Amino acid sequence: MRKTVVENLIKNAADIICRAKHVTAFTGAGISVESGIPPFRGPGGLWSKYDPGYLMIDYFLGNPLKSWELIRELFYENFGRAKPNLAHIALAKMEERGLLKTVITQNIDYLHQLAGSKNVCEYHGTYRYLRCVQCGYRLTAEETHLENLPPKCPECGGVLKPDFVFFGEMIPEDAGRQGLIEAEKADVFLVIGSTGEVMPAAQIPHQAFMNGCKIIEINIQPSNFTNVITHIFLRGKASEVMRKLARYLEIEL
Ligand code: NAD
C-alpha cells in the first residue's frame, strides 16, 4: 500500500478517536513483541518451539514440576527483563489525555501498567502473582523462590500456580464482566496485535462490533478480525503505527 494511503488511514483513525465518547483498547501478544516477548502463535511464536500442552490446567495439576520448568523459563526469566515500548506508552498517554478509557489486555506481562496505564483489565490474569491451588492464598512471584520447583504455599504447603489463565480454565469473573461492559459502552475499539483466535477473549471485539462500535485494528498481518469486523486496518508494527497515531492525536511520546 502506498505511504500516503497508510498516512491517510492513520489520520482518519485519529479523527474517529478524537470524536469518540468511549475508546477501549484490546491488546494481544503482538503489542509486546517489540518489548522482546514473543507471541505464542504466528511468526517466531513460542508454540513452534514448545509444547502448549504443558499449560493445560489438567496437565499442570498432575505434573506441576514439568509445567513449572517451562513456566519459569518462558515467563519468569524472560518477562522480568521486558520494558514497555512506544505502543504501551502511547496508550497510557491517551488515557492520561482522556482519549482512552480502558485497556483490556490478553497479556499477562504487566507492561501496560509499567507504561502508566491505570485502567487495565487483565483478561487472562497476570504472571506477577502466584496462587495456591489448594487454599487459594495469593502472593507476589517476587516473594517466592523459584529455585526449588514447584513452589509451595507458605500457608498450607500446596502447589503454587501462576495467577494467569491456563488452557482449560475459566476467565476470572470480574474480567469477564468488564469485557462485556466495555463492549457495550465503547464506540471505538482499538484492537492491537491479536490473532482473534483465543476464545472467549476474541468475542469481546465482535460483541462491540455488534453493538455498533467502530473497530480500528493494528497488526503486522490480517487477523481473524480483519475482514470480518475491522473498519480501519492499520498494517504495521504496533509501536510504529502508534507513534504516528499519537502524532495525529497531538500526544508527545
Ligand atoms: P495473539 O492473539 O495474542 O496474537 C499475536 C498477534 O500479534 C498476531 O496476530 C501477530 O500477527 C501480531 N503481531 C506480531 N508482532 C506484532 C507487532 N510487532 N505489532 C503488531 N502486531 C504484531 O496470540 P498468541 O500470541 O497466540 O497468544 C495467545 C494468548 O496468550 C493471548 O491471550 C496472549 O495475549 C497470551 N500471550 C501473552 C503474552 C504476553 O503477556 N506478552 C505473550 C504470549 C502470549
Side-chain angles (χ1 to χ4, degrees):
M1 212 185 292
R2 285 213 329 272
K3 210 171 160 196
T4 45
V5 177
V6 179
E7 284 292 327
N8 283 343
L9 283 176
I10 297 176
K11 186 174 180 311
N12 194 359
D15 290 343
I16 290 171
I17 288 170
C18 286
R19 285 199 304 270
K21 291 196 173 67
H22 189 118
V23 180
T24 298
F26 176 85
T27 65
I31 195 170
S32 295
V33 166
E34 290 159 87
S35 293
I37 300 179
F40 285 167
R41 295 172 176 77
L46 291 172
W47 296 155
S48 55
K49 281 188 243 150
Y50 299 97
D51 181 354
Y54 285 106
L55 292 183
M56 298 288 299
I57 187 62
D58 288 344
Y59 182 85
F60 175 86
L61 293 173
N63 309 272
L65 174 59
K66 275 261 152 254
S67 283
W68 258 110
E69 282 168 353
L70 179 68
I71 291 165
R72 180 173 61 187
E73 181 188 334
L74 285 189
F75 302 114
Y76 293 92
E77 287 167 9
N78 280 338
F79 281 26
R81 289 191 285 270
K83 302 248 174 339
N85 64 53
L86 275 188
H88 298 103
I89 293 167
L91 289 179
K93 298 233 166 158
M94 282 174 66
E95 183 183 353
E96 205 179 281
R97 276 270 308 276
L99 290 170
L100 178 74
K101 297 284 189 240
T102 308
V103 177
I104 301 174
T105 187
Q106 299 167 82
N107 296 343
I108 57 172
D109 56 26
Y110 199 66
L111 292 182
H112 286 296
Q113 291 93 331
L114 287 181
S117 286
K118 301 278 182 287
N119 197 11
V120 181
C121 167
E122 292 177 308
Y123 201 74
H124 289 153
T126 173
Y127 88 109
R128 292 179 77 239
Y129 285 87
L130 307 179
R131 193 185 284 280
C132 175
V133 296
Q134 216 156 273
C135 72
Y137 184 76
R138 192 172 185 252
L139 71 169
T140 64
E142 274 174 6
E143 289 171 80
T144 316
H145 293 292
L146 294 181
E147 286 97 60
N148 298 323
L149 296 180
K152 295 284 174 61
C153 174
E155 294 291 307
C156 76
V159 169
L160 293 169
K161 173 190 162 294
D163 207 10
F164 56 73
V165 176
F166 277 39
F167 297 116
E169 275 194 302
M170 300 284 282
I171 299 301
E173 219 174 284
D174 281 358
R177 200 174 310 117
Q178 199 179 349
L180 291 178
I181 291 172
E182 289 298 320
E184 194 138 302
K185 280 189 179 168
D187 50 0
V188 174
F189 249 59
L190 185 55
V191 178
I192 308 177
S194 177
T195 53
E197 284 176 24
V198 180
M199 289 293 173
Q203 280 166 354
I204 300 171
H206 280 278
Q207 192 59 48
F209 172 80
M210 285 193 291
N211 293 339
C213 188
K214 276 253 182 288
I215 312 291
I216 299 169
E217 184 183 8
I218 300 172
N219 203 313
I220 51 166
Q221 62 189 6
S223 72
N224 281 5
F225 299 122
T226 313
N227 294 318
V228 185
I229 61 168
T230 299
H231 295 98
I232 299 186
F233 183 60
L234 305 175
R235 192 174 193 142
K237 289 184 177 173
S239 71
E240 287 172 14
V241 177
M242 284 304 290
R243 186 169 47 79
K244 291 181 182 161
L245 189 65
R247 206 177 61 222
Y248 284 115
L249 295 172
E250 294 175 8
I251 288 174
E252 240 178 81
L253 296 178

